Amino acid sequence: MSATTSAEPIEPAETASPDGARPAKPRRTRTSRVRQFLVGTAVVVVLALVAVTTFGWFTGRRPLPEYSGEVQVEGLSSDVRVSRDAQGVPQIYADSAEDLFRAQGYVHAQDRFFEMDYRRHVTAGRLAELVGNNPDAIQADMVTRTFGWRHVAEEEFNILDDETRQYLQAYADGVNAYLADRSPAETAVEYTVLDVSVEVNEPEKWDPIDSLAWLKAMAWDLRNNYNEELDRGLAYSTLGDASRVAELFPAYSNTGNATVLDPAEAGVPAATQQTQATQTASGTGDMYESPDLAKALDSAQRALDAVPVQIARGESTGSNSWAVSGQYTESGKPLLANDPHLALAAPGIWTQVGLHCNEVGPECPFDVSGFSFSGFPGVIIGHNADIAWGMTNMGADVTDFFIERVRNDTYLRGADEWVPMEKETEVIRVDGGSPVDLEVRRTVHGPIISSVMDEGEMDAVRNSPTETGTELGQYEISLQWTALQPGHTADAVFAMNRAKTPADMKAAAAKFEVPAQNIVFATTDGHIGYQAPGKIPVRASVPGAVESDGTWPRPGWDARYDWTGYVDPAQMPGVVDPKEGFIVAANQAVLPGGSGPFLSRDWDYGYRSERIRTLLSDRIAEGRKLTAADMSDIQMDEWSVFAETLVPVLLAVDLDAGYDSDGQALLADWDDYSMDSDSAAAAYFAAVWRNLLETTFNDELPQSMWPDGGSRWLAVIQGMLDNPNDAFWDDKSTVAVVESRDQVLTEALVSARQDLTVELGKDTSDWEWGTLHQLKLKHLVLGGDGIPAPIAAYMNPAPVKVGGGPSIVNATAWDAASGSFDVTGGPSMRMVVDLADLDASTWVVVTGASAHPASEHYDDQLDAWVKGETFPWPFSTEAVDGAQEDELILTP
């Protein structure tokens, strides 16, 4: 599973420390419940037989690939050259497109086959076949099989362009050519460790469907609104008041932050879709008050949490991107920057690559470089000789939960029509355990997810009476999601790789159906632009007690709430060369409410994007011409809008002089509000923010809804500060006392002082944010707490101290609900493209090019990433040759 700290095993709460610090909170269950998969105590046998040093030098180095010389590769039509630089990044040169992608498959398998194999087991719902009889793996498989990712990918392959299918097949052939004469132990050290406790067989051949199924996992982690939609229903179950639920989801417009586009320039008419609901939840109807519905929603949440994190989840899902016109740059040509905020693991999610046809033309049209996913051909983010593009999560609402009335494998449609469910049985095979039969049930909306995890629970839900009587059936939850329909995203990847003009990028975006992303681009001939892609559902406006815009789960038996189609790609907003001279897309709202097609009501609240806009605008106002170095500096900005908003309020709180106010004194001297890793004030402020959220909200919300500390919660607190008697300030656990804002702020300040005394020492001058806020990269499978320490230490890079935080440009997220400040996600890579001189562009990833722990390129970019440094990004043949350290010739 992903190595984000938010996915760690849930530990029991600890008792209070003797010096009065509050007890540690139990980790919440909101994030993925799949653990770092244990390989069992049998791993100890490996350590008993082989000294750790020997393991590292012999077993660990055995899978390391050759980077130089000559090797025969089945299926090639002519020689292919693979040039690698000092960071081990491959630049591939071939005579044909098929040879190019065949070689990319070969190179990906060289560097990262276990990562690829792990991913295809996850996406196919076959994880228990890889890691053994692990309950979390089995639950993950049950939910993934219920989604049917692999089945959708199989259907998708048949509708793709012929060229795309050829490229996918060539890539698979290259992977299989590398595997052909190698044992698992010669492919990855992970198989050697796993072989001690599970039966490790020869890996199955790679198939194009394996690549397409990975796109479903990517889309799942980058979907938006599903948390908020379930949360509204769950919050109502404890608050019982729609207006109080709405207070927890303030309108984006309340922040005053700019949208990505100006409607006047976006080329979209006002209100092209009749789904612009009011910004306050309306009456919810009797069903939201039902304990049975609350149980079904909670069960659905637990099922979704069982899916392993592959890209990101929660507050760590975001990104920054911007493009600046040549009128404001030193070179007179555009600059483009991008840093996707995703889960951070070992190895990192991206693998850098250059794909170059020796002669670019109709038969071989690729000359592109950038960031790829192991397991999928082509480049996802990067540039070619004419155009550069970055991506951030757009946040469009593409998932809906339907409340179904279910009775004996039928579900209600209309007033009294009971329709048979679609049913099929999936068999989950378990290495070292008995197979598990899973019955998957679907309605017209999609799979039933509220009773997946436990067959006994499923039977009980289906057959038990309800408070409204068996004649109406039992509540269950189904999921409708755009990615569960076959699409053309794979076609879009290759179209973007070949694009030359803004019109080409718009055409490619029309095919990029899931996940919905903001695409920011710039061209070497001087244009900058933005295009919103995505397959966006159209929802009818339904009068009545239940919101119809996808913000709340809604009744599946009422056909008025069904999707009525998808937004025409021609209506999706975009712009070329806006008057402002720059474009910033950092997960904020794309357009103001009421403009263009309805995309969502739930956005990131725009504090990062507004900070980037401010930094660019300030430099432009000063008359400075921007450079690529300026773009890199902005990516590392650590100024906190949280601090700017709250510190003046916190300083107004009257604390006793001495011990209690020592932390507050740090805030008084904190002028720049920067969350630097060596800042004592930043450490104290983070602890205050964590405690403020806990004291304010945890007493009234389900644990799965405890605040993570992201941008929405700042917007909520901002709305409450002017109301000292807002109901959320009151701690409902203290029945005899009604707390006000000032009491809560005082408690947050004092308890933060106590907490950091325990965690960092009594002397506030010894405090540092980076001591609390560390990036602890963990291996996908062998890095968790249950793995023997020597193995985990071998697989995991050493922890590093970092600055930044949530809703900060350097967005190293942490989860306030967990009680820990450890990094849960952040910039998975940073790139700056100079359209005046592509060879002057820079890039860095969080770990390195290789997924082999014994390789020098496993984490050789980590130190530079922490410091905000980047590496040269050679693109032209001359620059690639000048940077070459190794050359491998692949021959037919």
Side-chain angles (χ1 to χ4, degrees):
M1 68 159 290
S2 170
T4 60
T5 54
S6 62
E8 284 295 307
I10 300 173
E11 300 292 343
E14 299 174 2
T15 57
S17 62
D19 43 11
R22 67 192 176 98
K25 296 178 292 187
R27 293 183 183 273
R28 66 175 185 171
T29 58
R30 178 46 173 262
T31 50
S32 175
R33 293 183 60 252
V34 183
R35 309 292 181 255
Q36 298 282 344
F37 294 115
L38 311 184
V39 295
T41 56
V43 172
V44 178
V45 176
V46 174
L47 302 179
L49 294 176
V50 188
V52 175
T53 302
T54 304
F55 178 87
W57 276 100
F58 293 97
T59 307
R61 295 186 65 81
R62 187 181 181 190
L64 294 184
E66 291 294 333
Y67 282 174
S68 60
E70 186 175 294
V71 61
Q72 290 185 342
V73 176
E74 183 178 352
L76 289 177
S77 60
S78 60
D79 287 355
V80 175
R81 180 169 74 97
V82 181
S83 173
R84 292 184 186 258
D85 62 13
Q87 285 72 51
V89 175
Q91 302 278 350
I92 304 172
Y93 293 83
D95 290 335
S96 70
E98 287 77 8
D99 279 356
L100 194 63
F101 295 119
R102 189 172 286 108
Q104 186 183 14
Y106 187 91
V107 168
H108 276 175
Q110 273 189 312
D111 288 337
R112 292 176 172 244
F113 180 71
F114 181 81
E115 178 187 33
M116 297 163 60
D117 199 22
Y118 167 76
R119 286 177 177 171
R120 69 168 166 180
H121 278 86
V122 170
T123 58
R126 297 175 56 194
L127 197 50
E129 293 182 32
L130 178 68
V131 303
N133 192 9
N134 180 287
D136 293 324
I138 294 170
Q139 289 183 347
D141 287 345
M142 293 172 70
V143 180
T144 305
R145 294 285 187 95
T146 299
F147 289 158
W149 287 348
R150 175 97 186 173
H151 296 315
V152 177
E154 290 169 348
E155 296 176 36
E156 195 161 281
F157 185 76
N158 295 322
I159 68 170
L160 295 175
D161 294 344
D162 290 343
E163 284 184 338
T164 299
R165 291 200 299 268
Q166 292 168 9
Y167 299 157
L168 288 165
Q169 185 61 60
Y171 179 89
D173 292 343
V175 175
N176 295 328
Y178 184 76
L179 297 177
D181 56 355
R182 288 172 174 83
S183 68
E186 294 173 306
T187 305
V189 69
E190 289 89 340
Y191 293 116
T192 300
V193 178
L194 287 170
D195 195 41
V196 177
S197 58
V198 300
E199 184 178 353
V200 175
N201 299 312
E202 296 293 323
E204 297 175 8
K205 287 188 174 183
W206 193 263
D207 188 276
I209 308 304
D210 297 328
S211 297
L212 292 176
W214 165 241
L215 294 180
K216 302 303 172 186
M218 177 180 71
W220 176 249
D221 278 6
L222 295 179
R223 76 213 176 283
N224 194 49
N225 167 264
Y226 106 97
N227 282 344
E228 288 83 356
E229 187 175 340
L230 282 182
D231 279 352
R232 286 183 172 94
L234 289 168
Y236 191 86
S237 71
T238 60
L239 298 175
D241 184 336
S243 64
R244 296 193 71 202
V245 174
E247 188 178 351
L248 298 175
F249 300 88
Y252 180 86
S253 57
N254 291 356
T255 65
N257 295 332
T259 55
V260 177
L261 299 179
D262 178 345
E265 293 187 301
V268 293
T272 57
Q273 186 180 336
Q274 295 180 350
T275 55
Q276 294 288 2
T278 59
Q279 294 297 316
T280 301
S282 62
T284 56
D286 293 340
M287 68 177 176
Y288 289 114
E289 300 174 1
S290 164
D292 281 358
L293 178 58
K295 180 180 178 181
L297 291 170
D298 181 69
S299 181
Q301 182 68 72
R302 289 188 292 109
L304 301 180
D305 287 346
V307 181
V309 176
Q310 296 295 298
I311 297 288
R313 193 162 298 174
E315 171 61 23
S316 61
T317 310
S319 302
N320 302 321
S321 68
W322 64 92
V324 180
S325 168
Q327 65 182 305
Y328 295 131
T329 69
E330 192 174 86
S331 70
K333 289 293 181 72
L335 293 166
L336 183 144
N338 191 200
D339 54 298
H341 308 152
L342 303 173
L344 304 179
I349 192 71
W350 299 107
T351 176
Q352 299 145 289
V353 69
L355 300 170
H356 310 278
C357 292
N358 289 321
E359 292 187 16
V360 179
E363 298 302 315
C364 193
F366 296 98
D367 186 21
V368 61
S369 183
F371 300 86
S372 68
F373 289 131
S374 64
F376 195 88
V379 167
I380 305 299
I381 294 173
H383 71 82
N384 57 34
D386 301 292
I387 195 166
W389 68 96
M391 291 189 188
T392 65
N393 207 29
M394 187 169 71
D397 183 0
V398 296
T399 57
D400 276 350
F401 295 99
F402 285 88
I403 303 166
E404 308 283 8
R405 283 289 191 181
V406 175
R407 187 179 69 186
N408 297 326
D409 289 330
T410 64
Y411 64 100
L412 183 64
R413 291 287 281 175
D416 54 8
E417 181 184 5
W418 292 91
V419 179
M421 288 189 179
E422 295 181 16
K423 297 194 301 180
E424 61 182 324
T425 300
E426 295 274 348
V427 179
I428 298 170
R429 306 197 181 281
V430 181
D431 192 312
S434 301
V436 176
D437 289 339
L438 171 70
E439 185 178 76
V440 176
R441 300 177 299 152
R442 295 186 180 89
T443 72
V444 67
H445 302 114
I448 294 286
I449 60 172
S450 52
S451 49
V452 172
M453 305 276 281
D454 184 278
E455 281 289 337
E457 179 182 338
M458 181 184 296
D459 291 338
V461 167
R462 279 191 239 171
N463 299 318
S464 66
T466 73
E467 77 277 4
T468 54
T470 55
E471 71 279 0
L472 288 180
Q474 178 70 39
Y475 287 127
E476 294 208 49
I477 308 299
S478 65
L479 169 69
Q480 188 164 14
W481 176 35
T482 54
L484 296 185
Q485 298 295 322
H488 290 272
T489 300
D491 290 331
V493 172
F494 298 109
M496 285 192 294
N497 287 194
R498 297 187 299 256
K500 296 180 180 296
T501 67
D504 292 341
M505 189 58 68
K506 181 178 177 65
K511 297 182 178 182
F512 204 101
E513 295 176 345
V514 290
Q517 298 287 289
N518 297 305
I519 300 176
V520 173
F521 58 86
T523 66
T524 55
D525 62 359
H527 298 291
I528 64 171
Y530 166 90
Q531 183 60 50
K535 189 174 186 177
I536 312 300
V538 176
R539 303 167 179 90
S541 181
V542 181
V546 179
E547 295 284 8
S548 61
D549 62 356
T551 54
W552 289 68
R554 54 195 196 272
W557 55 88
D558 189 339
R560 296 178 302 165
Y561 293 99
D562 291 353
W563 292 357
T564 60
Y566 299 96
V567 174
D568 185 340
Q571 291 186 351
M572 292 299 287
V575 70
V576 177
D577 298 328
K579 294 178 182 178
E580 195 168 29
F582 62 84
I583 300 165
V584 178
N587 316 118
Q588 78 270 40
V590 175
L591 289 166
S595 301
F598 179 76
L599 302 176
S600 180
R601 262 170 56 186
D602 296 314
W603 307 96
D604 178 276
Y605 281 79
Y607 300 111
R608 274 184 293 108
S609 61
E610 199 66 16
R611 176 61 174 174
I612 295 166
R613 290 179 56 83
T614 298
L615 293 172
L616 291 172
S617 297
D618 286 351
R619 285 163 167 78
I620 291 170
E622 293 168 1
R624 290 178 49 189
K625 293 294 187 178
L626 297 169
T627 66
D630 290 324
M631 304 299 101
S632 293
D633 288 344
I634 292 174
Q635 288 178 331
M636 292 300 296
D637 181 75
E638 294 176 341
W639 177 84
S640 170
V641 66
F642 291 68
E644 183 195 51
T645 302
L646 292 172
V647 166
V649 179
L650 297 172
L651 290 176
V653 176
D654 186 18
L655 296 180
D656 293 337
Y659 178 84
D660 282 350
S661 63
D662 284 348
Q664 191 183 43
L666 294 173
L667 301 182
D669 295 332
W670 193 25
D671 297 327
D672 61 0
Y673 298 147
S674 184
M675 299 292 288
D676 300 329
S677 64
D678 60 356
S679 170
Y684 178 65
F685 177 76
V688 173
W689 175 240
R690 175 189 66 182
N691 296 1
L692 174 63
L693 293 172
E694 177 190 2
T695 304
T696 306
F697 299 107
N698 287 13
D699 59 313
E700 290 193 77
L701 299 179
Q703 185 174 348
S704 64
M705 269 197 73
W706 286 358
D708 61 10
S711 66
R712 175 162 67 91
W713 295 102
L714 178 59
V716 173
I717 290 290
Q718 280 181 309
M720 294 170 53
L721 286 175
D722 291 335
N723 184 3
N725 297 310
D726 187 291
F728 280 115
W729 294 124
D730 179 35
D731 185 350
K732 296 302 186 289
S733 65
T734 58
V735 179
V737 181
V738 177
E739 287 83 4
S740 66
R741 176 198 62 197
D742 293 347
Q743 289 170 288
V744 172
L745 294 175
T746 299
E747 181 179 342
L749 287 161
V750 173
S751 63
R753 181 15 161 163
Q754 294 172 340
D755 289 347
L756 294 198
T757 298
V758 174
E759 297 179 62
L760 298 178
K762 184 176 181 180
D763 189 344
T764 60
S765 64
D766 293 335
W767 295 356
E768 290 187 351
W769 175 223
T771 303
L772 296 173
H773 189 52
Q774 297 192 16
L775 174 60
K776 301 174 181 177
L777 293 169
K778 293 184 179 179
H779 184 269
L780 297 168
V781 174
L782 301 177
D785 294 338
I787 301 299
I791 292 291
Y794 181 74
M795 305 301 293
N796 297 338
V800 290
K801 299 179 180 181
V802 297
S807 291
I808 290 171
V809 178
N810 185 24
T812 53
W814 53 279
D815 183 1
S818 73
S820 170
F821 299 104
D822 286 344
V823 176
T824 58
S828 52
M829 61 81 160
R830 298 186 184 102
M831 78 170 192
V832 174
V833 182
D834 186 339
L835 279 300
D837 179 5
L838 294 172
D839 289 329
S841 304
T842 61
W843 59 359
V844 69
V845 295
V846 71
T847 53
S850 176
H852 299 292
S855 169
E856 63 179 311
H857 303 306
Y858 185 59
D859 60 358
D860 60 337
Q861 298 187 48
L862 176 58
D863 185 60
W865 180 92
V866 171
K867 296 176 181 178
E869 299 171 353
T870 54
F871 296 96
W873 182 355
F875 177 70
S876 69
T877 303
E878 295 77 16
V880 170
D881 289 346
Q884 180 173 291
E885 296 283 335
D886 295 288
E887 182 180 79
L888 179 67
I889 303 298
L890 309 181
T891 66

